[in-house]
Amino acid sequence: MLGEMAPPTTQPKRERPLFRLLSLLVDNAHRITLLLITASVLGLLALPLLDRSIRFEEKGLLAGMSHPNVGYSASADTAELLRISRSAGGAAFQRPGAAAALAAELRSAGLTDTQLSRPTVIAPGLEAGGPPSPCRCTNVHTRVRAPRGDGLESLALVTPLAFSPQRPDPAYDGRNQSAEAAELALMTAAGLVLHMARGHVAAGSETGSEFGSASDGRGGGRWLVRDLLWVVPDLSCGGYQCLEAWVRQYHGEVTAGTAVRQEANASASSLPPSSAGLGAAMVRGGVIQQAVVLEALAGASYDTSELLVVGHDGLLPKLDMFYLLRYLFNYPVAATLWRDELVDAPTQSLTAPLMGLLPEGLVEPQALRSYVRRLLTGLQFSWHQAVGQPGGPHAAFKDFMVDAATVRLTTKHRRSPDPTSASRYEQQQRQQHLQQRALSLSYCLELTLRSLNNLVERVHHSPFLYVLTDTDRFVSVERYVAPAVALTAALQLQAAWSMAVAQRALEAPMAPEAAAATTGAVAAALSSASQPRIWAAAAARAAARTAVLAVAAAALRALACGSPSCLQGGFGAAAAPGSSGAAVPPWVAAGAAALRRALALPLATPEGLLAVGAVLFAAGAAAVAAAGLAGLLAGAAASGEWSGTDDGKPAAAEPAAEERTPEAAAAERSAAAEARAVEAVRGGSAATPAAAGVQREVASGTDACRSDGEREHIGAVRESQAVCAAAGMWHAERVVVLTATAVAMTTLVCLNWAAALVAGMYLAPLALWQGWAAGRWAPPAQKACGRRGYGDGASTAGAGARVLRERLMYVLLWAMWIAWNPLVYLVLVCKGVAAVGFVRPMPMLHGTAAGAICALSATNYWCAGVVAASLWLFGGGSIRG
């Protein structure tokens, strides 16, 4: 008889290469995260090596292909230009009624489509760093009809003017507008606008005193196919607030917090139907396609033309707009970026040490100096984007998808000659020099408007995502976005590591005694050892924490940056006249007023620091309490809805207790425990058959025939299971928090990559520290979670030394956690920026808490107050766990 056939052997299933690669990445998550952080820093330092020259993408601009002719009409009636420029500039600068006088002069000059509006805006505080307060603007604008257009599109020329004393605005760095600068801006724009409306043509008149009409095609703007809007916004309420109110009013977005009173002009009956519905009809042109802002802070003695392109939350105009202004405004003085002279000193101080460190002959000194300067310029530009505050008045147009940029005329050495102290001859010479400068600026503006007049914006394909390293070099988006993406990937990698740890900690069956050993939300969620219920409780905790932080952040923002009258009728912006807000209970209004007073205390005083600390502690404590309560309720609801099945389905009904004898019930439990133990041994979840027998006894719950050693081991198993359940709960919640943070970072990369880079430099090291602390400094019982055989890490050997080591570890972790919080990181970044000196620091190191809250852009505020704070508060769980 043939021998018995051997049972077929099954080959172990080989893991796919992709899964093995993912498993390898997860196992080495901490090392790879550190490499990603390092790579992001190196990628930031490589920006100058990735830049390229700027060129016009749109050939239809035809930059420099025509000659300016504004000089003919500007020189035809100099007296008229002087009357207009001196109505609000020169000796009449910041005089009461200057705006009305300017509007009257424009109407008398033939610009009948002139209008005066007075909106109320929320402007910077009366003192540097103080809370915002309402401010009344005075805006003047006029319109020039295009002789060859259909009135559907328009161009905007903006010349900001301070009709009253300016409030301190950090965007100007202490450089306020002078009287001569106001006269220069008005003379430049008035000459160009009058030329467009009725420009003199040599064939039009023998005497040269008559002007051709725009309607007969002989005007200076006969090539104009889009309406021209000349806007003179008030500069006294801030750099862009009054212009933003005008732009929103022009587009029909008059908010409840803006009270607008307009003065209708004599030609109101000729306005288009689109201007109806705002009380007095507003003088409108077509849809604004492009806007150029000429912001004169210095008079004829200006020696710098700064080109400003950064808008709200880092929004940029198309690169062609920047290069067009750089190309045309490069004479009579060279065009530069914002405060590029601040880069000179750091460039010199960094180049010399680097030359000493590098081997001789490896890099030319000139090449190294160029690299350092372009690096600092790129970092300066990126920091302006990261701050999120507008770089100039043009930011008001970017909110409505209008390409706009600012040309700021200023002086590097801040020379401020006094015109009244000069002699009569010197004043005449200065006036002639002022007129010559105004004429040259009018040339540049005319050529700029003529190029924009040729542009079809719908087919304009110039990039709008870039980093400027010089006035003629830039880094495109596909080259500079890698550091921010690497930091986002680091966060997701840490989430994948916690996912693997949570699965290993929760994959073994859990005894009922282990669930009874836990407390709070863990006991409620783990009473039946169901992984879906664990994830539900984790998601509930994370959502509750984020929701409380979002509500607290919104309330603080509304109290700090809203109008003081918001508590009288309702929360939010100031109510418009005649409107009624929601009624607020007196105790709520009193508490909000007290909180507003606390936020208005100076941060330099102990009272101010104590008040801010109390507010932040209350918000954090509320978020932690809400997370604990949400997890407890979610776990309790899940435990009451399902019984102890691992697949999430309701368990089948068991026979009634009285229908079974005790012996039968015990035998049934023993058989089930034996089957589970055998499966555990076959599947490798138990280290030895002896351990499987212990697990069988733990599962069956019988205490018969147990020795003292077995009882101690069973107790260790129960304790280890409870610890592993708590660790699995913490890692599950960490997966939810880190995944949400990575999603927020991905969105921030798309909105403002520079802000995402700054946030990632905080979030990625924080996530790495949390994971490293949870993996390396965790108690031995937690380290044993997910290994084969519970209770291995709960040995009593060296218990005293272990307890002392754990206590010291807890003290160190708490100290690191408290020190590495978002507020400290933000202050350290601002301190470092202020120490370097070549970029604009955020105004958070002085003033009040309200001023600091309002200094942050909306995107940065929510990122710091909700995303970063949520991850930081969750990090305390790694210490408590």
Side-chain angles (χ1 to χ4, degrees):
M1 183 177 181
L2 297 177
E4 294 182 359
M5 183 178 296
T9 60
T10 59
Q11 296 292 336
K13 186 177 181 180
R14 298 184 60 184
E15 193 175 9
R16 294 183 179 180
L18 179 59
F19 291 161
R20 286 194 295 176
L21 177 61
L22 295 177
S23 178
L24 181 64
L25 292 177
V26 171
D27 292 340
N28 298 274
H30 300 334
R31 297 186 181 92
I32 298 176
T33 300
L34 184 60
L35 290 178
L36 289 174
I37 296 174
T38 306
S40 64
V41 176
L42 295 178
L44 195 62
L45 296 178
L47 284 180
L49 306 177
L50 304 175
D51 61 1
R52 53 181 175 172
S53 300
I54 303 177
R55 59 184 177 85
F56 286 113
E57 300 286 345
E58 181 56 61
K59 306 304 180 183
L61 287 171
L62 301 177
M65 301 299 291
S66 60
H67 295 281
N69 55 5
V70 65
Y72 298 125
S73 61
S75 60
D77 197 350
T78 306
E80 189 174 32
L81 293 181
L82 291 177
R83 287 197 305 269
I84 295 176
S85 61
R86 293 176 179 176
S87 62
F93 182 62
Q94 296 183 354
R95 182 179 297 174
L102 174 62
E105 289 293 341
L106 293 179
R107 293 191 186 101
S108 63
L111 300 175
T112 56
D113 290 345
T114 301
Q115 196 170 48
L116 183 69
S117 60
R118 293 190 174 94
T120 300
V121 299
I122 302 299
L126 298 176
E127 299 179 358
S133 59
C135 182
R136 188 71 176 273
C137 300
T138 305
N139 298 330
V140 179
H141 77 281
T142 188
R143 177 188 60 191
V144 175
R145 285 290 192 182
R148 299 185 179 184
D150 52 8
L152 298 180
E153 295 180 348
S154 62
L155 302 173
L157 172 62
V158 183
T159 55
L161 203 69
F163 292 111
S164 58
Q166 290 182 248
R167 295 193 178 193
D169 193 338
Y172 290 99
D173 197 22
R175 302 174 295 175
N176 291 335
Q177 191 178 49
S178 63
E180 188 180 7
E183 186 177 358
L184 174 64
L186 289 177
M187 185 177 296
T188 300
L192 178 61
V193 172
L194 290 178
H195 167 70
M196 293 294 181
R198 54 176 193 179
H200 173 71
V201 179
S205 173
E206 296 180 358
T207 62
S209 59
E210 297 180 1
F211 296 88
S213 172
S215 60
D216 60 9
R218 298 191 299 128
R222 58 185 180 273
W223 46 264
L224 200 62
V225 297
R226 293 172 177 170
D227 294 342
L228 177 61
L229 298 170
W230 178 24
V231 187
V232 187
D234 198 348
L235 202 60
S236 59
C237 293
Y240 68 94
Q241 284 81 359
C242 294
L243 180 58
E244 184 180 30
W246 182 90
V247 173
R248 293 188 178 277
Q249 181 184 352
Y250 186 88
H251 288 86
E253 289 192 5
V254 181
T255 60
T258 305
V260 181
R261 182 173 64 87
Q262 299 182 7
E263 295 182 359
N265 52 25
S267 61
S269 58
S270 61
L271 298 180
S274 61
S275 61
L278 291 176
M282 184 179 185
V283 175
R284 284 188 174 85
V287 178
I288 301 177
Q289 298 296 316
Q290 291 90 18
V292 178
V293 181
L294 180 65
E295 188 179 41
L297 300 182
S301 60
Y302 78 92
D303 57 7
T304 304
S305 298
E306 293 181 355
L307 303 181
L308 310 177
V309 293
V310 180
H312 289 288
D313 293 325
L315 293 178
L316 300 173
K318 293 183 178 178
L319 191 58
D320 278 349
M321 170 66 80
F322 165 79
Y323 198 56
L324 177 66
L325 297 178
R326 187 262 177 194
Y327 181 78
L328 296 176
F329 279 86
N330 210 34
Y331 178 84
V333 296
T336 64
L337 298 176
W338 179 87
R339 301 297 303 275
D340 68 330
E341 73 276 5
L342 298 179
V343 183
D344 296 337
T347 300
Q348 296 296 331
S349 61
L350 290 176
T351 303
L354 289 177
M355 286 299 300
L357 293 176
L358 296 176
E360 185 177 359
L362 181 62
V363 181
E364 293 293 334
Q366 186 63 29
L368 182 60
R369 187 178 299 107
S370 175
Y371 164 81
V372 173
R373 182 176 181 84
R374 285 184 287 128
L375 174 63
L376 295 180
T377 303
L379 293 178
Q380 182 188 66
F381 186 85
S382 301
W383 175 255
H384 289 172
Q385 286 187 279
V387 170
Q389 292 294 338
H394 66 277
F397 291 95
K398 287 301 299 177
D399 295 338
F400 293 89
M401 306 303 294
V402 177
D403 254 5
T406 297
V407 180
R408 177 176 292 173
L409 309 179
T410 183
T411 56
K412 291 184 178 180
H413 305 289
R414 301 187 182 182
R415 297 187 300 268
S416 56
D418 186 8
T420 59
S421 62
S423 63
R424 183 174 182 181
Y425 175 76
E426 292 177 346
Q427 292 181 3
Q428 291 178 354
Q429 293 295 321
R430 186 172 297 162
Q431 186 63 36
Q432 292 179 2
H433 185 48
L434 182 67
Q435 294 177 12
Q436 292 175 0
R437 281 295 179 95
L439 186 59
S440 63
L441 290 174
S442 297
Y443 290 161
C444 300
L445 286 176
E446 182 186 5
L447 295 180
T448 301
L449 295 178
R450 193 155 190 172
S451 295
L452 297 177
N453 186 69
N454 302 329
L455 185 63
V456 180
E457 185 62 29
R458 295 177 181 176
V459 296
H460 192 193
H461 56 276
S462 178
F464 56 89
L465 296 174
Y466 50 86
V467 172
L468 295 175
T469 57
D470 204 348
T471 54
D472 57 353
R473 301 191 68 85
F474 79 105
V475 184
S476 55
V477 59
E478 70 275 4
R479 300 185 181 186
Y480 69 71
V481 77
V485 174
L487 295 173
T488 306
L491 293 173
Q492 195 59 54
L493 184 60
Q494 286 293 311
W497 177 79
S498 283
M499 171 72 79
V501 174
Q503 288 181 348
R504 287 196 297 265
L506 300 175
E507 64 183 2
M510 185 177 183
E513 293 84 356
T518 59
T519 58
V522 177
L526 303 178
S527 59
S528 55
S530 175
Q531 292 193 26
R533 292 159 200 157
I534 296 175
W535 290 101
R541 288 174 56 87
R545 184 189 303 107
T546 304
V548 171
L549 288 176
V551 172
L556 290 177
R557 184 87 168 185
L559 290 174
C561 308
S563 173
S565 60
C566 68
L567 298 178
Q568 298 176 2
F571 289 102
S579 63
S580 58
V584 177
W587 63 271
V588 176
L595 184 58
R596 183 191 291 273
R597 288 192 297 270
L599 296 177
L601 293 175
L603 292 176
T605 61
E607 295 80 6
L609 290 177
L610 184 61
V612 172
V615 171
L616 296 181
F617 177 79
V624 172
L629 181 60
L632 181 63
L633 295 178
S639 299
E641 186 174 347
W642 289 285
S643 61
T645 57
D646 290 337
D647 56 358
K649 298 179 181 180
E654 297 182 357
E658 59 272 9
E659 297 179 1
R660 295 183 300 174
T661 62
E663 294 78 4
E668 187 176 342
R669 288 195 302 268
S670 178
E674 182 70 26
R676 287 196 299 269
V678 173
E679 292 295 333
V681 173
R682 291 178 178 176
S685 61
T688 60
V694 173
Q695 288 190 359
R696 180 180 69 249
E697 292 185 1
V698 171
S700 61
T702 176
D703 291 330
C705 302
R706 285 180 181 172
S707 64
D708 295 338
E710 289 177 344
R711 292 191 183 94
E712 292 179 0
H713 191 69
I714 290 173
V717 169
R718 294 172 180 172
E719 182 181 357
S720 179
Q721 285 182 330
V723 170
C724 290
M729 181 74 171
W730 182 84
H731 280 284
E733 185 178 355
R734 186 170 185 261
V735 171
V736 176
V737 173
L738 284 179
T739 303
T741 305
V743 171
M745 277 286 295
T746 304
T747 306
L748 191 59
V749 169
C750 300
L751 296 177
N752 188 345
W753 85 276
L757 187 65
V758 175
M761 288 296 180
Y762 170 77
L763 295 173
L766 178 61
L768 176 61
W769 172 78
Q770 290 178 1
W772 185 64
R776 183 177 180 84
W777 289 346
Q782 285 191 7
K783 289 183 178 181
C785 294
R787 297 178 183 174
R788 304 196 171 196
Y790 279 116
D792 298 337
S795 175
T796 59
R802 185 178 70 249
V803 170
L804 179 60
R805 185 172 64 252
E806 289 180 1
R807 290 180 178 177
L808 292 177
M809 178 263 297
Y810 285 157
V811 172
L812 179 60
L813 287 180
W814 275 111
M816 293 178 61
W817 179 73
I818 293 174
W820 191 246
N821 62 76
L823 185 60
V824 172
Y825 173 76
L826 200 57
V827 171
L828 290 178
V829 169
C830 294
K831 284 285 189 181
V833 167
V836 173
F838 69 91
V839 292
R840 178 191 304 160
M842 288 186 290
M844 297 187 60
L845 307 179
H846 54 80
T848 63
I853 291 174
C854 299
L856 290 172
S857 66
T859 302
N860 292 342
Y861 178 75
W862 287 107
C863 181
V866 179
V867 179
S870 179
L871 182 60
W872 177 73
L873 285 176
F874 167 75
S878 62
I879 306 172
R880 294 189 303 271

